[in-house]
Amino acid sequence: MRKSTTSCLCHILVCLCFIQRCYGASHHIPADKVTIAKNQTKLANGETEVHHRPKRGWIWNQFFVLEEHIGPDTQYVGKLHSNSDKGDGSVRYILSGEGAGSIFIINEVTGDIHATESLDRERKAHYVLHAQAFDRNTEKPLEPKSEFIIKVQDINDNAPTFPDGPFVAAVPEMSGVGTSVYQVTATDADDPTYGNSARVVYSILQGQPYFSVDPKTGVIRTALANMDREAREHYAVVIQAKDMAGSVGGLSGSTTINITLTDVNDNPPKFPQKNYQLYVPESAQVGKPVGKIKANDEDLGVNAEIKYSIINSEGAAMFSINTDRDTREGIISLKKPLNYERKKTYTLQIEGVNSHLEPLFSYLGPFKDTATLKITVGDVDEPPVFSMDYYIMDVYENARIGREVGAVTARDPDSKNSHVRYFIDHSEHSDKYFNIDMDSGVIKTTQSLDREDMPWHNITVIASEVDNPSLLSHVPVTVQVLDVNDNPPEINKDKEVIVCESSRPGQVIQTMTAVDKDDFANGQRFSFSLPSGVPVNPNFTLKDNEDNTASIITRRRQFSRLVQELYELPIVVWDGGEPALSGTSTLTLRVCPCQRNGRVQTCQDERGLLSSAGLSTGALIAILLCIVILLAIVVLFITLRRSKKEPLVISEEDVRENVVTYDDEGGGEEDTEAFDIITLRNPAAAEELKFRRDIRPEAARQRGQNRGCHSPPELNQVDVQEFIKQRLVEADMDTSGPPYDSLQTYAYEGQMSPTGSISSLDSPGTHSEQDYNYLDDWGPEFQKLAELYVEDTDVAESDVAVAVTVAT
């Protein structure tokens, strides 16, 4: 078969070569030569008469050469000819360009071009060459250089290929006939514009009757309905591509498409059997798995997911079932404790349903299945069971040793009802305050109990069966120790009691409270008194405030720390318990100098302050030395600053030429020394008008002196008005003032102020009830003034205003 194909191919190539020679001789010659043929006239005797016309430049068309030439001889391509060639050999042809001299050679005399090699169109489709004719004798060009193209003519020497094969495709199972699966495309390296060498037709070689292929597009489709993945999942389809439009003699290539049927939910779950049995001991723990059940589903992935449920009420009340996503098993767990003595068997109706349903395949039946599971409860020897989950007991703290606190009870839940014994677990607490009767479970004290030391005791009682001591049960027992009034009250000494040197009789020094370690259900109640049977304290007394507090009150005026610094005051405090207990506490009172009413207490001297600060003598010397150095630096800086401000030229003739520079910001409205406007005025006029503007006029001053300090406010207001008017006239008549207005504010409200005057001049002369405690916040400069107000309450309010002004 192969030998006959080769012989046929050789005959075809010989015919093509013959056609090429004839076609090249008649159609692929230079245009000039065609023109010469057109200028010939046939005579009667068969000869031709040549009509000569003026020579023109030659124009070359393209040549064709057949690819894949086979044979020992070179392949004839075409012929070059010039009008100047008379056939005497005087014209020499030269060929240049791509492949000239190697692939293509030319006969210099005849102009015949031959191809010396077998050409491949798929590697190079055409060659660009240049031809030129010279006079052999003179070497002068007879024709200008002309360009022409040699095209390689295609033959069917390349079979179709699938460069990306083999391929992988997928299609859902149960798909209908004609469902598109995949499209393949073959490529052919032959010339698609010439003949049918690159015209491909597809056909299926393997994969029938399941699949088919479109011969023109290469689209693969299903050809069989209801293909089941569970029956067969993978298919290998072989597709052939053949050129020459599939005719005999065309070349072909093939590829494989591996097609997989993807899963759809077309299979319901099925239990392998309808009845199951399971044994579960009654000691099984609640919430733990006790068994498994599984339904089979031939589908894959989400299509095989199953949700299990217990559909009968008896089983759902005692058991639960969940799905294991990995194994798709139904895990059965216990919801409530089992008791063999109460119920020995349970029946469960279990249903398995697909989680994801496809309505397209609902006709295949209900996608669920049921099974019956019978659970048998096994009898187990169980540990004793206490009557309560925990016990709370109480006992008074003064209870005698061996006092009964309470009792615990436990029983054997099994049918044999074994005897139970009790123990206290002493491994948790080393102190043994209680013991328990082994047979009755009665708990008693073994030590004295103190509520103030430990109000609660937590113990653990263990119960075990006589027949099987290894079975143990534990229960927590909490014992509360009840309070008994066995602790006397005491005075709370958190703060030191301070007595000011300036204290007055009846003044409250400090309010005291009491503490008691005992616990009273309705709250603590305390009463206070001084000890009976002792002389009356001349310095202090005690007042019971009847609110669980007591106040210490002075009985005399003024104390002196130099005379006596410390005083002792015993106080008796009673509690409200039954029986009532009392305690005596001795307080130490320290005399200290205070600012006022003992509000700010300064009881430490300088040595105490220094010692409390923790400063040594060396540290104090270092601090003082630093202060001296800082003062020296400040003095040096001020001296240099003043020396820089002295003017270089001082002229006494005209002070208006002086320029005074101030480098500081100034003190605002209260700064009256930053700038003196008099230096800009006429010096002579300034000397005449230099008088104080911040004093009252003489007339007003004299009237004020005649009337005294307590003159009526109306007269004072008239004096101020006259004073302002006088100053306004003086400002208007001042010729030495600057050309701009000078604003002078006197802060006078006037008589028509809607808010009234805030001046102390309008204050009435009666005694004031004002609280002058704010004087304590003004610092030590006003300490004497504060003491004067404390000592003498008859000072007039106007005098206070004068004293404040003088102090300021």
Side-chain angles (χ1 to χ4, degrees):
M1 180 70 178
R2 184 175 179 182
K3 190 172 183 181
S4 61
T5 303
T6 305
S7 62
C8 292
L9 183 59
C10 291
H11 291 300
I12 292 171
L13 291 177
V14 170
C15 293
L16 288 176
C17 290
F18 177 76
I19 295 171
Q20 171 64 24
R21 288 181 177 273
C22 297
Y23 188 77
S26 59
H27 297 283
H28 299 285
I29 60 177
D32 291 343
K33 192 169 183 182
V34 174
T35 303
I36 296 173
K38 288 182 180 180
N39 291 335
Q40 293 177 356
T41 302
K42 290 186 178 181
L43 300 178
N45 56 3
E47 297 181 358
T48 58
E49 180 183 0
V50 180
H51 304 281
H52 296 281
R53 291 192 301 175
K55 183 180 66 174
R56 62 173 182 171
W58 57 354
I59 299 175
W60 300 98
N61 293 327
Q62 58 187 0
F63 292 97
F64 291 91
V65 61
L66 198 64
E67 70 169 334
E68 304 293 346
H69 174 69
I70 301 174
D73 299 331
T74 59
Q75 184 179 182
Y76 177 76
V77 178
K79 183 180 182 64
L80 298 181
H81 186 73
S82 173
N83 292 337
S84 301
D85 189 0
K86 304 300 182 180
D88 55 359
S90 62
V91 178
R92 183 166 62 92
Y93 297 96
I94 296 177
L95 188 66
S96 62
E98 296 179 345
S102 58
I103 300 176
F104 302 102
I105 58 175
I106 188 172
N107 190 320
E108 294 183 354
V109 178
T110 62
D112 293 331
I113 303 173
H114 290 80
T116 61
E117 297 180 5
S118 177
L119 303 180
D120 187 359
R121 188 200 66 84
E122 286 71 36
R123 187 174 63 86
K124 189 172 180 61
H126 65 276
Y127 297 85
V128 179
L129 293 96
H130 299 85
Q132 194 169 13
F134 290 88
D135 190 311
R136 188 179 296 276
N137 299 322
T138 63
E139 293 297 331
K140 292 182 179 181
L142 300 177
E143 300 287 351
K145 182 181 291 187
S146 179
E147 180 180 280
F148 66 97
I149 298 175
I150 298 179
K151 284 191 174 182
V152 181
Q153 191 172 6
D154 182 56
I155 65 172
N156 189 19
D157 60 340
N158 291 279
T161 60
F162 296 89
D164 298 329
F167 304 95
V168 176
V171 63
E173 64 173 331
M174 310 298 291
S175 297
V177 176
T179 303
S180 177
V181 180
Y182 195 77
Q183 183 179 11
V184 293
T185 302
T187 59
D188 195 317
D190 293 326
D191 188 0
T193 62
Y194 180 77
N196 294 326
S197 298
R199 184 180 176 186
V200 178
V201 174
Y202 301 95
S203 61
I204 184 168
L205 299 181
Q206 179 181 327
Q208 294 176 335
Y210 306 102
F211 299 95
S212 63
V213 64
D214 189 290
K216 295 182 179 180
T217 62
V219 175
I220 302 172
R221 303 179 185 276
T222 58
L224 189 64
N226 299 329
M227 287 189 291
D228 191 2
R229 184 201 64 83
E230 289 72 30
R232 182 176 177 182
E233 184 176 4
H234 300 287
Y235 296 84
V237 179
V238 179
I239 301 298
Q240 182 189 64
K242 189 175 184 180
D243 59 12
M244 298 299 292
S247 61
V248 179
L251 303 180
S252 64
S254 62
T255 186
T256 301
I257 299 93
N258 296 312
I259 300 177
T260 301
L261 297 182
T262 58
D263 184 64
V264 297
N265 191 10
D266 58 339
N267 293 279
K270 293 290 183 181
F271 286 100
Q273 57 191 56
K274 289 298 182 180
N275 296 288
Y276 295 86
Q277 290 186 355
L278 181 64
Y279 173 83
V280 179
E282 62 174 338
S283 60
Q285 297 182 10
V286 175
K288 299 295 183 179
V290 296
K292 300 178 182 179
I293 192 172
K294 184 179 181 181
N296 298 326
D297 194 322
E298 296 180 355
D299 295 324
L300 299 176
V302 296
N303 298 320
E305 291 183 359
I306 302 174
K307 181 180 180 181
Y308 298 94
S309 60
I310 301 175
I311 59 177
N312 65 319
S313 58
E314 178 188 0
M318 292 296 296
F319 299 90
S320 64
I321 187 169
N322 296 303
T323 303
D324 189 326
R325 293 186 177 273
D326 297 330
T327 62
R328 295 191 178 92
E329 294 176 328
I331 308 301
I332 303 171
S333 302
L334 188 62
K335 293 175 65 176
K336 296 179 181 180
L338 296 174
N339 192 334
Y340 174 80
E341 288 71 25
R342 293 182 181 179
K343 191 173 180 62
K344 297 178 174 58
T345 59
Y346 292 90
T347 301
L348 278 65
Q349 295 292 331
I350 299 177
E351 182 182 63
V353 182
N354 278 142
S355 303
H356 303 272
L357 301 178
E358 294 187 16
L360 184 63
F361 304 103
S362 59
Y363 67 92
L364 295 178
F367 287 80
K368 61 182 179 180
D369 195 17
T370 58
T372 302
L373 175 62
K374 183 177 181 181
I375 296 179
T376 302
V377 180
D379 187 19
V380 176
D381 192 3
E382 300 174 85
V385 178
F386 284 96
S387 60
M388 300 176 63
D389 295 334
Y390 61 90
Y391 294 85
I392 299 178
M393 306 174 183
D394 55 60
V395 61
Y396 283 99
E397 60 179 334
N398 61 353
R400 67 181 185 277
I401 299 175
R403 177 68 178 269
E404 181 178 337
V405 177
V408 297
T409 57
R411 64 176 183 84
D412 183 11
D414 298 322
S415 55
K416 59 182 180 181
N417 195 12
S418 176
H419 184 66
V420 178
R421 291 183 177 179
Y422 305 93
F423 308 92
I424 291 180
D425 186 4
H426 293 291
S427 61
E428 298 180 356
H429 304 284
S430 58
D431 298 333
K432 298 180 181 180
Y433 291 95
F434 307 94
N435 63 7
I436 189 171
D437 186 88
M438 182 182 300
D439 297 322
S440 63
V442 175
I443 301 175
K444 298 181 180 181
T445 60
T446 58
Q447 298 183 27
S448 298
L449 303 178
D450 188 359
R451 188 202 67 85
E452 289 72 30
D453 182 30
M454 185 180 296
W456 296 88
H457 293 268
N458 296 316
I459 60 178
T460 301
V461 176
I462 303 173
S464 65
E465 296 180 6
V466 176
D467 298 338
N468 191 356
S470 61
L471 296 178
L472 304 177
S473 296
H474 300 74
V475 67
V477 179
T478 301
V479 179
Q480 180 184 9
V481 181
L482 302 179
D483 183 58
V484 175
N485 192 18
D486 58 347
N487 292 278
E490 298 178 354
I491 295 295
N492 192 356
K493 300 180 181 180
D494 292 342
K495 298 181 180 179
E496 185 179 14
V497 182
I498 302 299
V499 181
C500 294
E501 291 182 329
S502 60
S503 298
R504 301 185 302 274
Q507 181 176 349
V508 176
I509 298 301
Q510 189 167 342
T511 300
M512 309 302 298
T513 59
V515 294
D516 196 327
K517 295 181 180 179
D518 293 323
D519 183 20
F520 296 91
N522 299 322
Q524 296 179 341
R525 296 182 178 88
F526 300 106
S527 58
F528 304 84
S529 66
L530 296 177
S532 60
V534 297
V536 177
N537 193 321
N539 301 313
F540 307 97
T541 185
L542 187 69
K543 178 186 177 182
D544 191 346
N545 298 324
E546 297 182 356
D547 60 353
N548 294 332
T549 63
S551 300
I552 302 174
I553 303 174
T554 58
R555 302 188 64 177
R556 66 183 181 88
R557 182 189 182 93
Q558 292 186 346
F559 292 82
S560 176
R561 184 175 60 164
L562 300 178
V563 176
Q564 183 176 351
E565 182 180 3
L566 300 177
Y567 293 87
E568 292 185 352
L569 181 65
I571 298 177
V572 180
V573 57
W574 296 80
D575 61 17
E578 293 183 3
L581 299 180
S582 64
T584 302
S585 301
T586 301
L587 299 181
T588 301
L589 290 72
R590 181 184 297 275
V591 178
C592 297
C594 303
Q595 288 188 0
R596 183 171 178 268
N597 294 334
R599 200 179 73 180
V600 179
Q601 302 164 353
T602 56
C603 222
Q604 293 181 338
D605 55 8
E606 296 179 357
R607 291 177 298 175
L609 290 174
L610 294 177
S611 62
S612 63
L615 298 177
S616 61
T617 304
L620 292 175
I621 295 174
I623 294 173
L624 294 176
L625 182 60
C626 292
I627 294 174
V628 172
I629 293 174
L630 290 176
L631 291 176
I633 293 174
V634 172
V635 171
L636 179 61
F637 177 74
I638 294 174
T639 303
L640 293 176
R641 187 179 181 87
R642 289 181 177 178
S643 63
K644 289 181 180 180
K645 288 185 179 181
E646 294 180 358
L648 298 177
V649 179
I650 301 176
S651 176
E652 298 179 356
E653 295 179 0
D654 191 359
V655 296
R656 288 175 296 180
E657 296 179 358
N658 294 340
V659 178
V660 180
T661 303
Y662 294 88
D663 294 337
D664 53 0
E665 295 182 4
E669 296 179 358
E670 297 180 358
D671 190 357
T672 59
E673 299 178 359
F675 180 75
D676 189 4
I677 198 171
I678 300 299
T679 59
L680 299 180
R681 298 173 177 171
N682 190 343
E687 292 294 334
E688 295 178 359
L689 297 176
K690 188 178 294 183
F691 54 87
R692 294 192 60 182
R693 295 176 178 268
D694 57 347
I695 63 175
R696 297 169 56 188
E698 288 296 329
R701 191 188 311 171
Q702 291 176 2
R703 286 195 297 270
Q705 293 176 356
N706 294 333
R707 293 186 179 91
C709 296
H710 303 282
S711 60
E714 294 80 1
L715 296 178
N716 291 334
Q717 293 178 359
V718 173
D719 293 344
V720 174
Q721 290 178 353
E722 293 176 358
F723 172 73
I724 294 175
K725 291 179 181 179
Q726 179 182 351
R727 291 297 175 260
L728 291 175
V729 173
E730 292 175 358
D732 293 338
M733 300 300 294
D734 187 4
T735 58
S736 62
Y740 48 82
D741 292 337
S742 176
L743 178 62
Q744 302 184 22
T745 303
Y746 292 91
Y748 174 68
E749 299 178 10
Q751 295 181 347
M752 304 304 294
S753 174
T755 59
S757 175
I758 61 173
S759 174
S760 62
L761 298 177
D762 293 340
S763 302
T766 60
H767 296 287
S768 174
E769 297 298 333
Q770 182 178 358
D771 185 7
Y772 294 98
N773 291 333
Y774 63 87
L775 295 176
D776 294 337
D777 301 331
W778 288 13
E781 295 85 357
F782 294 90
Q783 181 64 33
K784 189 62 179 177
L785 182 62
E787 293 178 356
L788 290 176
Y789 275 94
V790 175
E791 295 293 338
D792 188 4
T793 59
D794 297 333
V795 178
E797 187 171 348
S798 60
D799 295 336
V800 174
V802 174
V804 172
T805 305
V806 172
T808 305

